[in-house]
Amino acid sequence: MTIHGIDWNAIEWKTIRNGVEQKAFSGNSATIAMHRLQPDHEPRPHKHVYEQIAYIVSGTVDFHVGDDVQRLGPGSLIAIPPNVMHHAVVVGNEEVINIDVFTPARPQYAPVPKND
């Protein structure tokens, strides 16, 4: 058995768009992604087939999920069901760091390891 692992610090930040950066890691069944959102980022409502759990590490966001808006700060978690429109808007002037867990895995974010 080969263990698939890496240090977050070894993963380069990838620019998604102006004000949004990402680094990600996948296992066989889930992907974890760290996002860095700047106060001036362009929010883009979207939906996908993945369940998403978002954890706010630092900063504050208004997280829009369907018709609901929740203000989330450090330590807050939110679960976004598959196929529901959602996006986050930074509140204030502090950058936001959030960690998202997606299931099933999102190979477009980070390759899924090959089974031995």
Side-chain angles (χ1 to χ4, degrees):
M1 171 173 70
T2 301
I3 302 298
H4 176 60
I6 193 167
D7 183 328
W8 269 122
N9 295 321
I11 302 173
E12 296 290 326
W13 285 103
K14 175 174 119 180
T15 299
I16 303 301
R17 63 181 176 278
N18 186 34
V20 179
E21 295 174 295
Q22 175 195 83
K23 47 174 80 179
F25 178 82
S26 290
N28 290 315
S29 302
T31 296
I32 185 167
M34 184 181 299
H35 290 94
R36 190 160 55 184
L37 307 175
Q38 300 304 320
D40 61 349
H41 85 283
E42 176 190 347
R44 290 197 182 159
H46 62 282
K47 61 183 177 178
H48 43 67
V49 298
Y50 308 94
E51 178 179 33
Q52 177 179 347
I53 298 173
Y55 170 69
I56 306 303
V57 177
S58 63
T60 303
V61 292
D62 282 342
F63 219 110
H64 300 249
V65 179
D67 294 329
D68 189 36
V69 179
Q70 292 190 28
R71 181 150 294 175
L72 304 177
S76 298
L77 291 144
I78 192 167
I80 301 114
N83 302 309
V84 175
M85 291 294 288
H86 61 280
H87 68 284
V89 177
V90 174
V91 175
N93 294 322
E94 181 184 351
E95 107 178 339
V96 171
I97 301 290
N98 81 286
I99 296 176
D100 295 308
V101 176
F102 298 94
T103 186
R106 295 189 75 163
Q108 69 274 36
Y109 278 16
V112 173
K114 293 185 168 102
N115 291 329
D116 292 17

